[in-house]
Amino acid sequence: MITKNVITAMLLIGTLAGCVANDYGKMSRGSGVSETLLVENCESIICSYDKLKDRVQATANDMNGFLAISGAETRTIQYTWVSDTNNISINLYSTALYGSWSFIDSAEVYVGKDMIAKVSGSVDRIVGYYNEVAGEHEKVEILTGIIDVEAAQKIAEANYENVTVRFYGKDGYKDKELPREHDLIKVVNLAKSA
């Protein structure tokens, strides 16, 4: 059985190896994205290089790494950008411990009371972490869609406490405010270079 200390060590080693493995010069030459921009924005997010298609892929989210070690899903929002596109893929996470599935089919993202983006697309439903206290598994629903860079920037630049995701499902809607700070703006900075 793997202990939490071993998992923590593996995550730390994987993070450090990822930082060392990025050759920003090579990524820049192949993709056309400025090396300076890659260095400034890839340090605290996940950047990878597709050597077959000469593309950079950048991903950032609001995951709480400490809580994620237990296996719990802690993300609410995630951006992914690929260097030959001019849009950003957005994943919105709805996690429930009690009750049944919400069968989410769409969402809206608000900054204050201003709706910035409507998101619809594919939905994955995953049985997640088992909570021994509740005696229940997490029910994780992940809505994936595409938003434009301008909308992505408005969401990323807003104070996370002012961003609300409204999920629509079989029983109407439920709102979830972003729970923590994130580095989504770094993905936007890279996307604006396209």
Side-chain angles (χ1 to χ4, degrees), residues 9-11 63 77 89 94 99 105 117 128 154:
M10 289 187 318
L11 286 172
M63 177 187 292
I77 189 168
S89 173
S94 174
D105 57 28
K154 288 179 183 176

Side-chain angles (χ1 to χ4, degrees), residues 73-98:
E73 179 57 72
T74 63
R75 293 172 288 186
T76 303
I77 189 168
Q78 178 170 288
Y79 284 176
T80 300
W81 172 75
V82 178
S83 62
D84 64 352
T85 62
N86 56 5
N87 290 311
I88 291 177
S89 173
I90 183 172
N91 290 351
L92 299 170
Y93 296 77
S94 174
T95 304
L97 187 57
Y98 299 101

Side-chain angles (χ1 to χ4, degrees), residues 10-22:
M10 289 187 318
L11 286 172
L12 182 59
I13 290 167
T15 301
L16 293 174
C19 293
V20 172
N22 280 337

